[in-house]
Amino acid sequence: MSSRLRVVLRRNRVGGVRPTPAAPLAINALCLALALVALAVSSIAGSFTIGIGDGPVVGLSLTTLSSILLVLITGLGLVVGSFSSRYAVDDPRPQRLAWLILVATLASGIVAAAGTLIVLVAAWLVTSLALAQLMAHRLDLPGARRTLPRALLSLGAADVCLLGAAVIITAVSGNVPLGGLDGAAQELSAASVAGFDAASVASLLIVCAALGRCAQAPFGSWLTQTVAAPTPVSALLHAGIVNAGAVLLIATAPLVTDSRLAMGLLFAVAAFSMLNATSLMIARPDVKGALALSTRGQMAFMLLACAMGAFGAAIFHLVAHGMYKATLFLGSGSAIDESRQVAGAPHSVIPPASGARAVRQAILSAVLPVSLLSLAVAVISPALLTSPGGFVLLLFAWASAAQASWWWLRIREPAGGARMLALGTLAAASFTYVALLAATKAVLATDLPAPGQAAIPGLLLAPVLAIALAATAMRWLAAASVRPGAPTGRIGALQRRAYARALSAGSWPQRRPAFGPSRWLGGRRPSAGHTPIKVAP
Amino acid sequence: MRTPDAAFKVGGRASLRAEVDQAADVLFPLWPIDSFIAVNPLGNLTGRPFEGAIEIAGEALQTRGYWDDEWFAEAHASGRITDADLRAALGRAARDGRLPATTGDPRNHFDELSLDPSAPQPLGTDNDVLTPCEQADLSDGGGRAEAIDAEMARWCAAFLDRGQSVWSMPDRDLGFYRCWRALASEDATARRLGAGDLRPAAQGLPDAPEYALEQSLARLGITRGDRVPFLRRLLGRRPGWASAIRWLAARPERPQHPIDLVDYLAILTFYESAMTRGPDSESDPVVNPSQPQPDRAAGSMRAGERLSIWLDAYEWHYRDRLLSRLDRPPAPFPGARPAAQAVFCIDARSEGIRRHLEACGNYETLGFAGFFGLAIRHRELGATAGTAQCPVLIAPSSDTTELPLAGAEADASRWISDRRTEAASIETFHQVKNDLSSKFALAELAGWAFGPVAAARTFAPGALRSPFGLADPPPTQPVINRPTRKQAEARAAELEREIISRLAEVHLGRKSRRLSGPDIERLRIHVIEAGAAPERPPGCSKRRWDELASSLRTEELSPRGHRERVEGIGAIGLGEAEQIQWAQVALTMMGLTENFAPLVLLCGHGSTTANNPYRSSLDCGACGGNQGGPNARVAAALLNSGSIREELAKAGIEIPADTWFIAGLHDTTRDRVEIFDLEQVPLTHRSDLLGLERDLAHAGEQLAAERLERLPGGDGRAAGRAARRRSLDWAQVRPEWGLAKNAAFIIGPRSMSAGLDLECRTFLHSYRAEVDPDGSALETILTAPLVVAEWINLQYYFSTVDPDRFGAGDKTLHNVVGLHGVQTGPGGDLRIGLPRQSVFDGARPYHEPMRLLAAVQAPLERISSIIARNAILEEMLGGGWVAMCGRERPTDPWARLRRDLGWEPWEAAAETDSTDETKATFNGGEAWVVKV
């Protein structure tokens, strides 16, 4: 007997060879080499520019500062690109991913080394576009379509601000070289926009742009959504792209730092964000979400340094944090291994908790770092204490060292070799930190703008630091108490409210269905053919 | 609201719990990712046939459970499924009684098998159920269900966090529901759900989760008869966290933070009811009219039935070829004594190394479950807790540990101290990183070190060593013999003296050296047996001495702590009777009872990968997702023991005096075999061992070359080095293929398969029917290793047919959450199953989703009687979860086990048959007729 079987094939499902994207990596490596050459030239022979035109060139201005940033950004781009070429081997569009990473890297580099405002703004916008494309790289995933528009909206809002500032400045002063903003600042003060002082308006817009790129409130929501992109994209983003806020502020410092309003806004938002984002971070149970929120806090810290006119400190933070966060993101798959290592490790013999012991430990943890850091400053560079932001950075360094000593004393039995090891490590860390700080300061001395008239005095940071330290102290108390019980009553309710708020951070409000995003973005509807559960009358 | 319905008393609670349990049969417990256990995601539905289970799960999970039409169509176009295969499949289905009742020839159904991937593909079955929120979403395009699921995922992740966040959920010890209720009562941000302020509603919830669930079900208007399908749908919609909760709830020990599915469903239904009749919308839930059921001619096939025939044809195409290859004259009995015997795990990856090793010389290899039948909880040198080194189906029956070899004690204590330092460093870094004041300067300092490290790890994987990996572990030996009471006492006292002298060092500093050994012992007797306190040593302040005294008064050093310690030490190792019984059973099961070679290698396996949350999924499944080294070492030590050999000889298993057992570990990512305890090997065996090591290295290199050819981004040149590099590369998402492509389980002597290249697709268990007349060894093989293999096989099957529902999705987007598992991107459900990269090569499936075929060489009556004795086998084989073929002797033809558990002769489908035509079309519209 004979029968017929009809089998329809789809043509588009043909797997092919997946070429490793090599060209973007080669270009990136070349740019890193050029950046290293620029660094060598600028630190030996002084700054230079490359570009077209004379006077204000349309091109790059290569100072030691901008060369360092270029080396950082292209270096990160190369690491991330190389990582991604193996990691994203199954990506549906590997070539697109590789080229986008290259474009985002190079555009960020140009932002850091722009010769004129127009170049900076153009590169900034290209970065944003590349970023948007990277965030939309995996739209095939559930939820990505729903959250992306809002993320792009908050990212785009900041870009509109920058564009507005650029229009005002260019309308008043023409194509301004970034080194010559002092003159433009005076012209701008004389002009007015809609009845307001043009310099203030431009400064405010620039500060908003910086806040947006650094993912500070109220523009911050985009950053948590970028976790939906493949890991290397997050690494590049958190290490090389978000920093552009500080780069912008430094480039436009002569203008922005004279505006009390702009500096005040910057300080207020960054101070809030630093405490807020960090407290949200410590409640996050997922690795990448915590890293993203951590970046927001770190960027706030960097912007606070800018607000105080401590540009050297901001750059120091920017570079180190870039390498730090990129590594943590790329290695985010190791969390399980690390926890296994900790859980499986032999226990230390730790004397039972006692109040007196905890107090002694706390005092030791607080005092030891003070002495080590003081010694390091005294030996290496006493001038650090009086430099802008120097004292603040040392205070934070003290907080870290104290924290490290305290946990170490709790976890590792303080006996024999372990004690010496801890002391040695702490001393080495203190000296290294101070030396790095001093070196950065020395290298960048000539390239950094002076703190403007409106720089926020460091003393204002005291309440912020006090709150942060109080939070630390609370954690110490909670860890040291023999029987940690949850607080009850009002305090308990407050704590629960705060926790619920922290946990919901980054979640998206559910709109009424009529405006439901799944409708206007064409979200997948459940397929037909269902029997609803019967509902009793 | 707080007064529950009067009728809802204890009986109501119990029946509600029973309904929840019944609804939860679409979920299988999900083990934490650090001990990844391959499971059959439908493992709770195995009481039904495969097809029926898929139907139930398909409804709840919105999945089809079979490959898409387009993959089958492609397999058909490429000849991987022929028309003859399909016809044979129809015949088998008819004989199994799996076809709809028809009259006449089953082949009449042939044209009903047509595939059209471009036609709409209904999910699951025709009667999927929807919850009120889903109905409302369907009618107005809202995203209520998605919002609820996101909310649930967030609460679950926070509650089940095992230490990722430093600010953990308050009041977790109250249990999930009560803890959530306290938070939801204060959660001002719940407005984001679009149902208004939910705080008053949460505050009004009853105290018991059962009442709350009952209340919400009533508010939702779910009738009693609809409860189970409704709850099943709620659980199946997002199966991840719910499966993790199932795992936690099924654990024997009482959890620190109690949670079960009633808690979960009480919260979930609260949101369901709030979102359908929240304060904002007072309207009744939208009720959709029933969709008209598609008419179905009596006797015609449904989508699931059609696909099950395709699956069967796909499977038997492979099986026919495999069975034909196994159908050959038996290899001549190897009379001569082999240079060495090597026992590997049944794992499909062992097939490769066995094949290549055998090709190197006069070696005989065997297959046995990688835990070597030793259900042990093994504590590595200095480790705090042991790992259960046995399949999750059984509980460890003994504890083993390892102690440093004589002379290596100092190295060992340094090594342990390094491990402590390492763990404390990681933990301190974590704490400094997650703090409001200390994380800023940490980044500024650590960044300078991290940057170069990241570059090195990217450009030269493996070039950097961990700063803590200073020394290799010191030589140890496994402790296998149970200590006497006296020995246990002595060992406990030694440990206690160590604790005391360390505490003394903590409190007295350098002055603690003035305490002599007897002083410490007096202190010990003082705290444990309430003896007289020793004198305060001269020069030591009274305050410090008192502090030490108070530190010593801990639970750990109390009389009870001492008793527990002695008992714990006394339970380490195996008792004499256990040892002998184990040796006899294990050797019989692997069929190694005579003709022992001078060297017998017992080889476990494990993997090496970097930056890989799924590391454990590549380790030994028979060892509970751990590396198999400890089991191999314990097994070798036991079989080298003279007293055991004497006892074995009495039972008829004579191990020659010149036979030495050695333990090894096959690293499946690098294809290297590491041999343990080399220093114990007698001098007489050294040269044999060198030869074996050389051949193992050679075999490994060959296998690596073969494997790398199949791995994207790999090629076979300098394979050993390339494989090593791959295993250390933190950017590598696919360090190895693992068990992908596994398809069959061959139980019988190696002579069945020796010399065949089975492409690492088959589990191989050695079995010699003639040494197991009562069938007890075969019974163990069928009820334990075969079940583990079935779980692994079905994990791969389901992760491939629906990589987003049953699989974990794309690895590059994974985000480790709560140290429990991964989620995709910023939120969403915990992922179950294997990541896409484990089963797909780019856009194409790499794994061939087929159920396992067990090919057994044993008398058929023996197999049948074992099946009849074991309900698990009846379900597994009668339900079609695993297929079976058997034959008594190599010369016999294969017989296939039908679903009714009767045997029928196996016959391969004809390679070609020219009587029929298949019409194949391309989507583009171009059509032609292919003669096959």
Side-chain angles (χ1 to χ4, degrees):
Chain A
M1 66 176 285
S2 163
S3 51
R4 276 184 146 209
L5 182 68
R6 206 173 140 268
V7 178
V8 181
L9 281 174
R10 258 190 221 179
R11 215 192 263 281
N12 53 359
R13 276 295 190 106
V14 182
V17 191
R18 282 159 298 159
T20 330
L25 276 185
I27 297 172
N28 200 330
L30 181 70
C31 292
L32 174 60
L34 290 176
L36 285 168
V37 171
L39 179 60
V41 172
S42 60
S43 52
I44 294 164
S47 333
F48 62 102
T49 55
I50 45 170
I52 38 172
D54 34 47
V57 279
V58 178
L60 303 180
S61 157
L62 294 159
T63 59
T64 312
L65 168 60
S66 61
S67 307
I68 287 177
L69 292 178
L70 271 179
V71 170
L72 170 76
I73 292 169
T74 51
L76 281 171
L78 190 62
V79 169
V80 167
S82 170
F83 183 97
S84 171
S85 70
R86 277 169 281 156
Y87 192 73
V89 63
D90 282 359
D91 194 274
R93 294 171 293 178
Q95 293 282 349
R96 180 179 184 275
L97 184 63
W99 284 106
L100 279 174
I101 287 176
L102 178 71
V103 170
T105 305
L106 295 189
S108 302
I110 295 174
V111 168
T116 67
L117 187 60
I118 291 181
V119 174
L120 188 151
V121 174
W124 180 287
L125 295 178
V126 172
T127 316
S128 293
L129 284 176
L131 194 52
Q133 291 295 321
L134 281 171
M135 283 157 71
H137 187 69
R138 293 305 295 274
L139 267 187
D140 52 319
L141 292 167
R145 266 176 197 284
R146 202 164 62 81
T147 51
L148 185 70
R150 288 175 202 236
L152 293 185
L153 214 64
S154 66
L155 182 65
D159 292 6
V160 171
C161 293
L162 180 63
L163 209 57
V167 167
I168 294 172
I169 297 171
T170 313
V172 175
S173 315
N175 183 13
V176 211
L178 284 173
L181 269 177
D182 317 44
Q186 279 162 20
E187 288 171 42
L188 279 165
S189 315
S192 75
V193 175
F196 295 101
D197 165 26
S200 296
V201 175
S203 303
L204 273 177
L205 286 173
I206 287 175
V207 163
C208 284
L211 289 172
R213 182 49 59 96
C214 290
Q216 307 296 296
F219 308 104
S221 54
W222 66 273
L223 195 64
T224 27
Q225 286 310 310
T226 56
V227 169
T231 310
V233 172
S234 298
L236 178 69
L237 181 68
H238 288 258
I241 296 180
V242 287
N243 299 326
V247 171
L248 174 70
L249 288 176
I250 293 171
T252 58
L255 174 66
V256 186
T257 52
D258 281 349
S259 162
R260 254 170 224 294
L261 200 57
M263 286 292 101
L265 177 73
L266 181 66
F267 183 85
V269 173
F272 168 75
S273 206
M274 183 177 124
L275 296 173
N276 181 48
T278 312
S279 53
L280 301 184
M281 170 194 82
I282 61 173
R284 281 297 276 228
D286 62 312
V287 173
K288 285 182 176 178
L291 286 177
L293 284 165
S294 159
T295 301
R296 282 172 70 179
Q298 300 276 8
M299 290 299 107
F301 183 76
M302 179 183 75
L303 292 178
L304 278 179
C306 290
M308 294 187 304
F311 297 115
I315 292 294
F316 181 66
H317 190 80
L318 184 161
V319 172
H321 173 257
M323 296 189 282
Y324 173 76
K325 197 48 70 65
T327 312
L328 287 184
F329 254 111
L330 294 180
S332 64
S334 310
I336 298 288
D337 281 352
E338 277 168 14
S339 81
R340 217 157 111 142
Q341 245 167 342
V342 172
H347 273 187
S348 288
V349 177
I350 296 183
S354 85
R357 211 177 118 73
V359 170
R360 269 211 307 283
Q361 279 179 356
I363 293 175
L364 181 66
S365 310
V367 172
L368 191 63
V370 172
S371 12
L372 286 172
L373 280 167
S374 315
L375 186 65
V377 170
V379 170
I380 295 170
S381 166
L384 263 185
L385 278 178
T386 51
S387 71
F391 186 66
V392 173
L393 281 190
L394 287 171
L395 271 182
F396 276 97
W398 166 74
S400 300
Q403 179 88 325
S405 332
W406 199 77
W407 284 104
W408 183 267
L409 287 176
R410 288 195 63 74
I411 299 167
R412 186 81 173 90
E413 58 179 33
R419 186 179 280 168
M420 290 317 289
L421 180 77
L423 190 64
T425 310
L426 203 59
S430 304
F431 274 80
T432 314
Y433 183 81
V434 171
L436 284 169
L437 204 55
T440 311
K441 196 170 152 290
V443 169
L444 298 179
T446 53
D447 290 338
L448 287 172
Q453 305 160 5
I456 305 289
L459 206 60
L460 274 184
L461 202 60
V464 181
L465 183 63
I467 296 175
L469 287 176
T472 305
M474 270 165 60
R475 285 188 57 215
W476 286 17
L477 270 178
S481 65
V482 186
R483 193 185 299 248
T488 48
R490 270 188 86 77
I491 307 262
L494 252 169
Q495 191 203 8
R496 283 196 291 273
R497 188 171 303 180
Y499 183 80
R501 192 184 146 273
L503 201 62
S504 68
S507 72
W508 295 85
Q510 168 70 22
R511 289 279 167 83
R512 298 308 305 156
F515 307 99
S518 60
R519 170 166 287 186
W520 55 273
L521 266 168
R524 193 176 72 88
R525 282 161 167 248
S527 54
H530 303 279
T531 317
I533 291 276
K534 287 183 283 301
V535 175
Chain B
M1 282 301 211
R2 267 180 196 277
T3 47
D5 183 358
F8 187 66
K9 289 270 164 57
V10 182
R13 268 196 203 205
S15 85
L16 185 67
R17 287 207 166 261
E19 281 164 338
V20 169
D21 275 348
Q22 200 191 337
D25 60 9
V26 290
L27 303 175
F28 200 75
L30 176 71
W31 269 259
I33 198 166
D34 59 358
S35 54
F36 185 96
I37 302 297
V39 295
N40 170 11
L42 309 189
N44 275 321
L45 292 168
T46 44
R48 301 160 193 270
F50 181 75
E51 297 79 8
I54 280 192
E55 201 163 311
I56 290 181
E59 271 174 29
L61 275 76
Q62 294 279 297
T63 176
R64 292 170 7 126
Y66 295 101
W67 235 2
D68 289 347
D69 282 17
E70 58 183 303
W71 292 119
F72 279 131
E74 214 179 283
H76 185 264
S78 66
R80 176 68 178 73
I81 302 174
T82 64
D83 289 3
D85 293 329
L86 286 167
R87 270 199 198 84
L90 280 170
R92 271 188 301 270
R95 294 195 296 281
D96 284 351
R98 281 184 284 124
L99 281 183
T102 55
T103 50
D105 195 329
R107 292 164 194 230
N108 290 340
H109 289 288
F110 186 61
D111 49 356
E112 285 177 42
L113 295 175
S114 296
L115 295 178
D116 186 357
S118 53
Q121 311 244 326
L123 282 169
T125 54
D126 303 330
N127 50 348
D128 292 344
V129 291
L130 289 184
T131 69
C133 271
E134 288 171 303
Q135 290 161 40
D137 287 346
L138 200 62
S139 64
D140 65 9
R144 298 178 188 83
E146 204 183 334
I148 293 175
D149 293 340
E151 198 67 16
M152 287 309 292
R154 215 184 336 269
W155 290 118
C156 289
F159 186 87
L160 294 173
D161 183 13
R162 304 202 296 168
Q164 178 60 40
S165 67
V166 298
W167 184 9
S168 48
M169 205 164 174
D171 305 328
R172 282 198 285 181
D173 41 355
L174 295 180
F176 186 38
Y177 168 75
R178 292 188 184 92
C179 167
W180 163 83
R181 194 180 56 148
L183 283 165
S185 303
E186 303 289 341
D187 183 6
T189 59
R191 280 181 184 281
R192 68 185 178 275
L193 289 169
D197 190 353
L198 294 177
R199 280 180 290 180
Q203 280 158 3
L205 282 171
D207 191 50
E210 293 90 348
Y211 294 145
L213 176 54
E214 188 75 27
Q215 203 178 70
S216 302
L217 287 174
R219 285 188 65 190
L220 283 163
I222 307 295
T223 59
R224 208 152 261 284
D226 277 336
R227 275 189 180 180
V228 170
F230 171 75
L231 294 177
R232 203 178 251 159
R233 171 65 192 143
L234 282 183
L235 292 172
R237 190 164 76 199
R238 291 283 180 265
W241 284 114
S243 301
I245 293 171
R246 273 214 86 163
W247 175 78
L248 271 166
R251 309 248 310 154
E253 71 268 16
R254 198 187 138 69
Q256 201 185 351
H257 310 308
I259 184 169
D260 65 18
L261 284 178
V262 174
D263 289 330
Y264 176 83
L265 286 170
I267 302 171
L268 183 47
T269 50
F270 169 78
Y271 285 117
E272 274 274 340
S273 80
M275 296 283 278
T276 35
R277 314 178 179 209
D280 280 12
S281 61
E282 286 303 322
S283 61
D284 279 337
V286 192
V287 183
N288 262 17
S290 277
Q291 305 278 341
Q293 297 280 323
D295 279 341
R296 186 153 81 89
S300 72
M301 271 192 276
R302 292 187 298 172
E305 285 164 346
R306 194 182 68 231
L307 291 173
S308 75
I309 301 291
W310 276 93
L311 173 63
D312 191 67
Y314 181 72
E315 291 168 340
W316 280 95
H317 185 93
Y318 167 81
R319 294 172 184 169
D320 283 347
R321 274 147 197 78
L322 177 69
L323 292 173
S324 312
R325 292 176 77 193
L326 296 176
D327 216 358
R328 51 180 196 162
F333 183 73
R337 192 182 187 193
Q341 280 150 337
V343 187
F344 288 90
C345 182
I346 55 168
D347 191 284
R349 289 168 288 183
S350 301
E351 189 268 329
I353 190 94
R354 290 176 64 180
R355 171 161 38 89
H356 287 291
L357 179 64
E358 284 163 348
C360 287
N362 181 19
Y363 295 115
E364 185 187 348
T365 70
L366 297 103
F368 192 56
F371 73 120
F372 294 102
L374 286 165
I376 52 175
R377 182 183 300 283
H378 186 78
R379 206 155 52 80
E380 286 190 351
L381 180 65
T384 313
T387 51
Q389 299 274 86
C390 55
V392 290
L393 288 166
I394 50 181
S397 59
S398 0
D399 288 309
T400 54
T401 185
E402 46 198 61
L403 287 177
L405 281 185
E409 290 91 350
D411 284 349
S413 74
R414 198 170 328 126
W415 191 81
I416 291 174
S417 170
D418 282 352
R419 297 283 77 71
R420 286 200 181 112
T421 303
E422 180 182 39
S425 307
I426 294 175
E427 182 62 18
T428 302
F429 179 76
H430 186 71
Q431 295 290 352
V432 177
K433 186 174 75 159
N434 289 299
D435 186 84
L436 263 71
S437 66
S438 61
K439 68 171 210 171
F440 303 100
L442 173 73
E444 288 179 343
L445 184 65
W448 297 98
F450 278 23
V453 167
R457 292 186 73 181
T458 306
F459 297 114
L464 276 186
R465 311 196 73 203
S466 151
F468 304 105
L470 299 172
D472 286 334
T476 59
Q477 61 183 9
V479 179
I480 50 171
N481 292 320
R482 193 156 284 170
T484 60
R485 178 85 193 172
K486 216 168 161 190
Q487 285 167 328
E489 285 276 359
R491 176 80 190 127
E494 198 180 311
L495 286 174
E496 282 153 5
R497 279 194 295 273
E498 199 186 322
I499 295 174
I500 291 168
S501 60
R502 296 169 89 124
L503 283 174
E505 195 181 347
V506 169
H507 286 288
L508 310 183
R510 210 172 307 143
K511 297 204 178 87
S512 70
R513 289 190 202 143
R514 296 194 190 159
L515 287 173
S516 64
D519 284 340
I520 300 274
E521 175 61 15
R522 267 202 297 281
L523 269 175
R524 191 186 78 81
I525 292 172
H526 170 57
V527 287
I528 287 175
E529 290 159 27
E535 287 293 307
R536 171 156 55 99
C540 164
S541 78
K542 181 166 185 319
R543 185 175 62 79
R544 293 187 168 222
W545 184 248
D546 290 346
E547 270 180 14
L548 172 62
S550 79
S551 266
L552 292 179
R553 276 193 290 275
T554 61
E555 187 64 14
E556 215 180 346
L557 294 174
S558 67
R560 207 177 108 210
H562 175 74
R563 220 165 34 241
E564 280 169 9
R565 182 170 294 114
V566 172
E567 276 163 21
I569 294 170
I572 288 175
L574 286 79
E576 210 171 319
E578 263 178 288
Q579 294 181 353
I580 293 156
Q581 200 203 351
W582 167 80
Q584 204 177 336
V585 169
L587 291 175
T588 313
M589 257 175 82
M590 61 180 104
L592 183 62
T593 50
E594 56 194 8
N595 197 29
F596 287 89
L599 274 179
V600 183
L601 169 66
L602 304 177
C603 197
H605 68 99
S607 65
T608 312
T609 62
N611 202 18
N612 179 14
Y614 284 88
R615 151 200 296 260
S616 165
S617 74
L618 298 171
D619 286 341
C620 181
C623 299
N626 296 301
Q627 306 222 344
N631 298 64
R633 292 181 70 193
V634 171
L638 285 171
L639 290 172
N640 282 332
S641 135
S643 59
I644 293 183
R645 288 190 182 189
E646 272 170 36
E647 292 294 327
L648 280 174
K650 285 182 202 156
I653 302 175
E654 296 235 17
I655 301 176
D658 70 343
T659 290
W660 186 259
F661 287 83
I662 47 176
L665 185 76
H666 173 205
D667 185 329
T668 52
T669 329
R670 300 179 179 183
D671 285 320
R672 275 196 56 231
V673 176
E674 182 194 351
I675 309 263
F676 298 112
D677 306 325
L678 285 172
E679 61 287 329
Q680 315 252 1
V681 178
L683 282 171
T684 45
H685 289 70
R686 290 289 159 94
S687 68
D688 287 351
L689 183 59
L690 279 177
L692 178 62
E693 282 191 300
R694 196 185 51 236
D695 287 336
L696 281 168
H698 180 71
E701 186 85 12
Q702 299 272 313
L703 178 58
E706 178 186 310
R707 271 190 328 108
L708 284 173
E709 290 287 345
R710 302 192 198 120
L711 278 164
D715 63 43
R717 279 168 297 170
R721 278 229 312 282
R724 180 178 178 276
R725 196 182 143 102
R726 204 177 173 98
S727 73
L728 296 167
D729 184 359
W730 74 334
Q732 186 52 257
V733 283
R734 192 182 289 110
E736 57 164 299
W737 272 123
L739 286 133
K741 290 211 167 179
N742 74 81
F745 192 141
I746 300 173
I747 300 168
R750 175 64 174 158
S751 58
M752 280 171 83
S753 53
L756 295 177
D757 178 1
L758 297 175
E759 299 167 321
C760 300
R761 302 189 66 172
T762 51
F763 297 86
L764 300 176
H765 201 302
S766 296
Y767 176 68
R768 277 169 58 209
E770 62 272 22
V771 298
D772 177 42
D774 63 349
S776 59
L778 184 61
E779 184 162 2
T780 311
I781 295 173
L782 293 183
T783 50
L786 182 61
V787 176
V788 171
E790 179 213 8
W791 284 15
I792 293 172
N793 169 269
L794 289 168
Q795 179 91 83
Y796 273 87
Y797 173 89
F798 283 110
S799 297
T800 311
V801 295
D802 195 341
D804 291 319
R805 273 274 161 211
F806 287 122
D810 189 340
K811 237 177 162 179
T812 65
L813 307 162
H814 279 173
N815 180 1
V816 175
V817 56
L819 302 177
H820 221 288
V822 300
Q823 64 188 28
T824 294
D829 198 19
L830 190 68
R831 302 304 303 255
I832 59 172
L834 291 162
R836 211 186 150 85
Q837 275 84 352
S838 295
V839 286
F840 272 67
D841 182 2
R844 302 184 61 82
Y846 175 81
H847 177 65
E848 296 193 332
M850 294 190 272
R851 287 164 292 175
L852 201 64
L853 167 74
V856 190
Q857 185 165 305
L860 298 186
E861 317 81 72
R862 190 184 296 174
I863 303 176
S864 287
S865 70
I866 289 172
I867 295 172
R869 279 205 294 275
N870 291 282
I872 185 173
L873 290 176
E874 257 177 16
E875 287 177 358
M876 186 165 99
L877 298 162
W881 298 89
V882 171
M884 183 177 275
C885 280
R887 66 177 182 195
E888 184 167 354
R889 280 175 297 271
T891 45
D892 292 343
W894 285 105
R896 180 184 87 99
L897 188 70
R898 285 193 310 266
R899 291 276 181 105
D900 62 5
L901 304 178
W903 297 94
E904 66 176 27
W906 163 77
E907 207 179 327
E911 283 289 325
T912 56
D913 64 357
S914 52
T915 54
D916 295 313
E917 291 170 342
T918 300
K919 196 171 139 208
T921 13
F922 269 112
N923 228 358
E926 214 175 325
W928 67 91
V929 173
V930 189
K931 278 261 184 202
V932 284

